[in-house]
Amino acid sequence: MMVSVDVFFVVAGQTSATLLGRYYYHQGGSSKWISTFVQTAGFPILFLALLCFPKSSGGGGASGDAPVAKVAVIYVVLGLVIAADDMMYASGLKYLPVSTYSLICASQLAFNVVFSYVLNSQKLTGLIFNAVILLTLSDALLGVNHDETEDMSGMPRGKYLMGFLLTLGASGTYSLILSLMQLTFENVIKKHTYTAVLNMQIYTALVATVASMVGLFASGEWRMMTEEMDTFRSGQFSYFMTLVWTAVSWQITSVGVVGLVFEVSSLFSNVISTVSLPIVPLFAVLIFHDTMDGIKIIAMLIAAWGFVSYLMQHFIDDKKARKSSLSCEETS
């Protein structure tokens, strides 16, 4: 039941957050730092979830027996990497149609395989290798599927390519973050409790929020907020609610992500994050009138094939683990 709830949070939260993020730009918003800020600014909501899991029920606090200073350094480093990742995602969403952006994000599974193999000793199988090839092919199709004319809203080819590369980089960084979190739990914190997972999410989000605020003020984009509210096509109230619900949606996603990390693994959490990929482009076509040509449809089908291959490997591993556990119980 908990896994089902977490899966719903990830799919619903990520879908709504992506669409709201694009809606912000579509209605006249232009600040990449504001878009970056709202991706982590809703972290205080997670304190409510933290209250439901006191230290005594989780078997330890955020850091267990690990040195506080060491854990703090890890939180700061991860938070800064998350801030950079959010900035790349925000920039990619600004320069790309939502449908293209969502499909490129599927590459996080391919990156996840590489980082998990190097950092988390994840074994490579035929199905996983097949998923990597298919997802890479899907991204390659999208990368070359842009003619010499301008894209949506007069977006030139150079901006499209920049958005493609930034989104691709953000997907790789996101996979690195999850692998580093898993590595931290296994080698530093050593207590995989819900309290520890929530604390990691809260404090890394705090660092990322502070970093994005520094960027917002250093870039001078904070001066644009009043002008943005006045020129926002759907009105000032809509501008405010768009930012608020974008922040809430990202935190709903975070609750689901950390829940899946706790209940299953960071790898499975990353897999479920891609479930919304076929959903977002469909809404993008209806809401933002994104074009869905033959190449995009083929790329979507290839990405879905890669996702199914990856999921099938998890199913096989889980089946083997259940058999092994049952065999051990019968022996004892």
Side-chain angles (χ1 to χ4, degrees):
M1 180 62 71
M2 285 298 297
V3 170
S4 298
V5 172
D6 289 333
V7 168
F8 174 77
F9 280 172
V10 172
V11 174
Q14 186 168 277
T15 301
S16 59
T18 302
L19 292 172
L20 284 170
R22 183 59 214 166
Y23 180 79
Y24 165 76
Y25 290 126
H26 190 265
Q27 293 296 306
S30 60
S31 174
K32 290 178 289 187
W33 280 111
I34 292 177
S35 185
T36 301
F37 173 76
V38 297
Q39 291 186 52
T40 53
F43 73 89
I45 297 174
L46 299 183
F47 282 108
L48 298 177
L50 191 61
L51 293 175
C52 299
F53 297 94
K55 292 183 180 181
S56 58
S57 66
S63 58
D65 298 326
V68 175
K70 190 174 185 179
V71 175
V73 170
I74 292 173
Y75 285 167
V76 171
V77 172
L78 283 176
L80 293 176
V81 176
I82 289 172
D85 188 47
D86 290 345
M87 182 60 177
M88 287 189 287
Y89 271 129
S91 300
L93 191 57
K94 181 177 182 178
Y95 298 138
L96 295 175
V98 178
S99 54
T100 304
Y101 168 87
S102 300
L103 291 172
I104 294 173
C105 287
S107 62
Q108 68 191 41
L109 281 180
F111 285 113
N112 190 265
V113 170
V114 175
F115 290 127
S116 296
Y117 176 77
V118 174
L119 299 176
N120 308 124
S121 301
Q122 171 72 23
K123 63 179 181 180
L124 295 179
T125 64
L127 285 172
I128 290 180
F129 188 72
N130 180 59
V132 173
I133 297 299
L134 291 171
L135 291 169
T136 303
L137 177 60
S138 175
D139 282 341
L141 284 173
L142 292 173
V144 299
N145 183 36
H146 189 74
D147 53 31
E148 296 299 330
T149 60
E150 295 185 336
D151 199 283
M152 47 140 210
S153 303
M155 190 66 67
R157 179 177 176 81
K159 295 291 186 181
Y160 176 92
L161 293 177
M162 181 184 296
F164 176 85
L165 293 175
L166 287 172
T167 306
L168 196 64
S171 298
T173 305
Y174 176 76
S175 298
L176 175 62
I177 290 169
L178 288 186
S179 293
L180 288 175
M181 284 184 172
Q182 182 175 336
L183 188 66
T184 300
F185 279 120
E186 293 173 349
N187 298 330
V188 180
I189 296 177
K190 298 180 181 179
K191 289 192 175 182
H192 198 81
T193 66
Y194 214 110
T195 303
V197 173
L198 283 175
N199 271 305
M200 174 174 282
Q201 178 64 29
I202 289 171
Y203 294 118
T204 54
L206 171 62
V207 174
T209 301
V210 172
S212 59
M213 284 186 65
V214 171
L216 178 63
F217 283 94
S219 66
E221 289 188 5
W222 64 275
R223 300 188 185 94
M224 300 168 50
M225 293 188 67
T226 303
E227 182 181 350
E228 276 194 351
M229 283 190 289
D230 294 336
T231 58
F232 205 66
R233 295 192 186 103
S234 52
Q236 293 185 358
F237 181 74
S238 177
Y239 176 85
F240 176 74
M241 295 304 295
T242 298
L243 296 183
V244 168
W245 286 109
T246 300
V248 171
S249 296
W250 278 122
Q251 291 313 307
I252 290 175
T253 305
S254 296
V255 170
V257 167
V258 297
L260 290 176
V261 169
F262 172 69
E263 296 287 347
V264 190
S265 69
S266 62
L267 293 176
F268 186 76
S269 178
N270 205 345
V271 171
I272 296 302
S273 295
T274 65
V275 171
S276 63
L277 294 178
I279 302 174
V280 175
L282 297 179
F283 280 105
V285 171
L286 295 174
I287 298 174
F288 304 114
H289 306 293
D290 282 3
T291 57
M292 185 60 70
D293 55 23
I295 295 295
K296 278 188 180 180
I297 293 174
I298 293 174
M300 183 186 297
L301 293 175
I302 292 176
W305 184 6
F307 167 72
V308 170
S309 296
Y310 202 91
L311 197 61
M312 182 59 69
Q313 184 60 55
H314 278 277
F315 174 77
I316 293 173
D317 291 342
D318 182 65
K319 191 174 181 179
K320 288 181 179 179
R322 288 177 184 272
K323 284 184 179 180
S324 178
S325 178
L326 184 62
S327 177
C328 290
E329 290 179 359
E330 290 177 352
T331 303
S332 60

PDB file of all heavy atoms in Angstrom, residues 2-17:
ATOM      1  N   MET A   2       1.928   1.263   0.824  1.00  0.00           N
ATOM      2  CA  MET A   2       2.801   2.435   0.877  1.00  0.00           C
ATOM      3  C   MET A   2       3.507   2.667  -0.458  1.00  0.00           C
ATOM      4  O   MET A   2       3.638   3.802  -0.916  1.00  0.00           O
ATOM      5  CB  MET A   2       3.841   2.262   1.993  1.00  0.00           C
ATOM      6  CG  MET A   2       3.286   2.456   3.398  1.00  0.00           C
ATOM      7  SD  MET A   2       2.641   4.127   3.650  1.00  0.00           S
ATOM      8  CE  MET A   2       4.127   5.096   3.449  1.00  0.00           C
ATOM      9  N   VAL A   3       3.947   1.576  -1.096  1.00  0.00           N
ATOM     10  CA  VAL A   3       4.607   1.706  -2.396  1.00  0.00           C
ATOM     11  C   VAL A   3       3.641   2.267  -3.426  1.00  0.00           C
ATOM     12  O   VAL A   3       3.994   3.135  -4.232  1.00  0.00           O
ATOM     13  CB  VAL A   3       5.161   0.341  -2.860  1.00  0.00           C
ATOM     14  CG1 VAL A   3       5.637   0.415  -4.303  1.00  0.00           C
ATOM     15  CG2 VAL A   3       6.300  -0.106  -1.961  1.00  0.00           C
ATOM     16  N   SER A   4       2.376   1.801  -3.385  1.00  0.00           N
ATOM     17  CA  SER A   4       1.366   2.293  -4.330  1.00  0.00           C
ATOM     18  C   SER A   4       1.118   3.782  -4.138  1.00  0.00           C
ATOM     19  O   SER A   4       1.002   4.540  -5.111  1.00  0.00           O
ATOM     20  CB  SER A   4       0.054   1.515  -4.141  1.00  0.00           C
ATOM     21  OG  SER A   4       0.240   0.143  -4.405  1.00  0.00           O
ATOM     22  N   VAL A   5       1.053   4.218  -2.877  1.00  0.00           N
ATOM     23  CA  VAL A   5       0.843   5.644  -2.582  1.00  0.00           C
ATOM     24  C   VAL A   5       2.037   6.460  -3.074  1.00  0.00           C
ATOM     25  O   VAL A   5       1.873   7.532  -3.683  1.00  0.00           O
ATOM     26  CB  VAL A   5       0.623   5.856  -1.068  1.00  0.00           C
ATOM     27  CG1 VAL A   5       0.611   7.346  -0.735  1.00  0.00           C
ATOM     28  CG2 VAL A   5      -0.690   5.222  -0.627  1.00  0.00           C
ATOM     29  N   ASP A   6       3.245   5.962  -2.815  1.00  0.00           N
ATOM     30  CA  ASP A   6       4.449   6.674  -3.252  1.00  0.00           C
ATOM     31  C   ASP A   6       4.516   6.777  -4.775  1.00  0.00           C
ATOM     32  O   ASP A   6       4.917   7.807  -5.325  1.00  0.00           O
ATOM     33  CB  ASP A   6       5.699   5.971  -2.719  1.00  0.00           C
ATOM     34  CG  ASP A   6       5.852   6.140  -1.212  1.00  0.00           C
ATOM     35  OD1 ASP A   6       5.347   7.146  -0.686  1.00  0.00           O
ATOM     36  OD2 ASP A   6       6.458   5.264  -0.571  1.00  0.00           O
ATOM     37  N   VAL A   7       4.139   5.706  -5.464  1.00  0.00           N
ATOM     38  CA  VAL A   7       4.129   5.716  -6.925  1.00  0.00           C
ATOM     39  C   VAL A   7       3.153   6.780  -7.436  1.00  0.00           C
ATOM     40  O   VAL A   7       3.458   7.536  -8.367  1.00  0.00           O
ATOM     41  CB  VAL A   7       3.744   4.330  -7.481  1.00  0.00           C
ATOM     42  CG1 VAL A   7       3.436   4.415  -8.977  1.00  0.00           C
ATOM     43  CG2 VAL A   7       4.870   3.325  -7.247  1.00  0.00           C
ATOM     44  N   PHE A   8       1.977   6.853  -6.805  1.00  0.00           N
ATOM     45  CA  PHE A   8       0.990   7.865  -7.197  1.00  0.00           C
ATOM     46  C   PHE A   8       1.537   9.271  -6.984  1.00  0.00           C
ATOM     47  O   PHE A   8       1.361  10.151  -7.831  1.00  0.00           O
ATOM     48  CB  PHE A   8      -0.303   7.678  -6.392  1.00  0.00           C
ATOM     49  CG  PHE A   8      -1.311   8.765  -6.631  1.00  0.00           C
ATOM     50  CD1 PHE A   8      -2.078   8.792  -7.785  1.00  0.00           C
ATOM     51  CD2 PHE A   8      -1.485   9.783  -5.694  1.00  0.00           C
ATOM     52  CE1 PHE A   8      -3.006   9.806  -8.010  1.00  0.00           C
ATOM     53  CE2 PHE A   8      -2.400  10.793  -5.907  1.00  0.00           C
ATOM     54  CZ  PHE A   8      -3.173  10.807  -7.068  1.00  0.00           C
ATOM     55  N   PHE A   9       2.201   9.499  -5.851  1.00  0.00           N
ATOM     56  CA  PHE A   9       2.785  10.816  -5.564  1.00  0.00           C
ATOM     57  C   PHE A   9       3.807  11.208  -6.633  1.00  0.00           C
ATOM     58  O   PHE A   9       3.831  12.352  -7.089  1.00  0.00           O
ATOM     59  CB  PHE A   9       3.453  10.800  -4.190  1.00  0.00           C
ATOM     60  CG  PHE A   9       2.494  10.954  -3.042  1.00  0.00           C
ATOM     61  CD1 PHE A   9       2.928  10.791  -1.728  1.00  0.00           C
ATOM     62  CD2 PHE A   9       1.166  11.257  -3.252  1.00  0.00           C
ATOM     63  CE1 PHE A   9       2.052  10.935  -0.671  1.00  0.00           C
ATOM     64  CE2 PHE A   9       0.279  11.397  -2.206  1.00  0.00           C
ATOM     65  CZ  PHE A   9       0.720  11.232  -0.903  1.00  0.00           C
ATOM     66  N   VAL A  10       4.671  10.261  -7.020  1.00  0.00           N
ATOM     67  CA  VAL A  10       5.710  10.564  -8.005  1.00  0.00           C
ATOM     68  C   VAL A  10       5.096  10.888  -9.360  1.00  0.00           C
ATOM     69  O   VAL A  10       5.433  11.912  -9.976  1.00  0.00           O
ATOM     70  CB  VAL A  10       6.693   9.379  -8.139  1.00  0.00           C
ATOM     71  CG1 VAL A  10       7.650   9.613  -9.302  1.00  0.00           C
ATOM     72  CG2 VAL A  10       7.481   9.191  -6.850  1.00  0.00           C
ATOM     73  N   VAL A  11       4.175  10.046  -9.821  1.00  0.00           N
ATOM     74  CA  VAL A  11       3.591  10.232 -11.152  1.00  0.00           C
ATOM     75  C   VAL A  11       2.739  11.503 -11.203  1.00  0.00           C
ATOM     76  O   VAL A  11       2.894  12.341 -12.106  1.00  0.00           O
ATOM     77  CB  VAL A  11       2.753   9.004 -11.551  1.00  0.00           C
ATOM     78  CG1 VAL A  11       2.034   9.258 -12.877  1.00  0.00           C
ATOM     79  CG2 VAL A  11       3.638   7.765 -11.666  1.00  0.00           C
ATOM     80  N   ALA A  12       1.837  11.665 -10.215  1.00  0.00           N
ATOM     81  CA  ALA A  12       0.951  12.833 -10.207  1.00  0.00           C
ATOM     82  C   ALA A  12       1.735  14.121  -9.967  1.00  0.00           C
ATOM     83  O   ALA A  12       1.517  15.140 -10.637  1.00  0.00           O
ATOM     84  CB  ALA A  12      -0.124  12.662  -9.133  1.00  0.00           C
ATOM     85  N   GLY A  13       2.659  14.088  -9.002  1.00  0.00           N
ATOM     86  CA  GLY A  13       3.429  15.285  -8.666  1.00  0.00           C
ATOM     87  C   GLY A  13       4.335  15.724  -9.794  1.00  0.00           C
ATOM     88  O   GLY A  13       4.392  16.913 -10.141  1.00  0.00           O
ATOM     89  N   GLN A  14       5.036  14.779 -10.414  1.00  0.00           N
ATOM     90  CA  GLN A  14       5.964  15.130 -11.481  1.00  0.00           C
ATOM     91  C   GLN A  14       5.225  15.623 -12.722  1.00  0.00           C
ATOM     92  O   GLN A  14       5.663  16.570 -13.382  1.00  0.00           O
ATOM     93  CB  GLN A  14       6.817  13.914 -11.836  1.00  0.00           C
ATOM     94  CG  GLN A  14       7.922  14.194 -12.836  1.00  0.00           C
ATOM     95  CD  GLN A  14       8.910  13.056 -12.932  1.00  0.00           C
ATOM     96  OE1 GLN A  14       9.837  12.941 -12.140  1.00  0.00           O
ATOM     97  NE2 GLN A  14       8.706  12.182 -13.887  1.00  0.00           N
ATOM     98  N   THR A  15       4.092  15.002 -13.026  1.00  0.00           N
ATOM     99  CA  THR A  15       3.302  15.433 -14.183  1.00  0.00           C
ATOM    100  C   THR A  15       2.792  16.855 -14.001  1.00  0.00           C
ATOM    101  O   THR A  15       2.941  17.713 -14.881  1.00  0.00           O
ATOM    102  CB  THR A  15       2.110  14.480 -14.406  1.00  0.00           C
ATOM    103  OG1 THR A  15       2.590  13.155 -14.629  1.00  0.00           O
ATOM    104  CG2 THR A  15       1.282  14.923 -15.604  1.00  0.00           C
ATOM    105  N   SER A  16       2.175  17.134 -12.848  1.00  0.00           N
ATOM    106  CA  SER A  16       1.624  18.470 -12.597  1.00  0.00           C
ATOM    107  C   SER A  16       2.731  19.512 -12.485  1.00  0.00           C
ATOM    108  O   SER A  16       2.598  20.635 -12.993  1.00  0.00           O
ATOM    109  CB  SER A  16       0.772  18.472 -11.318  1.00  0.00           C
ATOM    110  OG  SER A  16       1.542  18.079 -10.186  1.00  0.00           O
ATOM    111  N   ALA A  17       3.864  19.168 -11.857  1.00  0.00           N
ATOM    112  CA  ALA A  17       4.965  20.128 -11.704  1.00  0.00           C
ATOM    113  C   ALA A  17       5.562  20.498 -13.059  1.00  0.00           C
ATOM    114  O   ALA A  17       5.864  21.672 -13.313  1.00  0.00           O
ATOM    115  CB  ALA A  17       6.049  19.542 -10.799  1.00  0.00           C
TER     116      ALA A  17
END
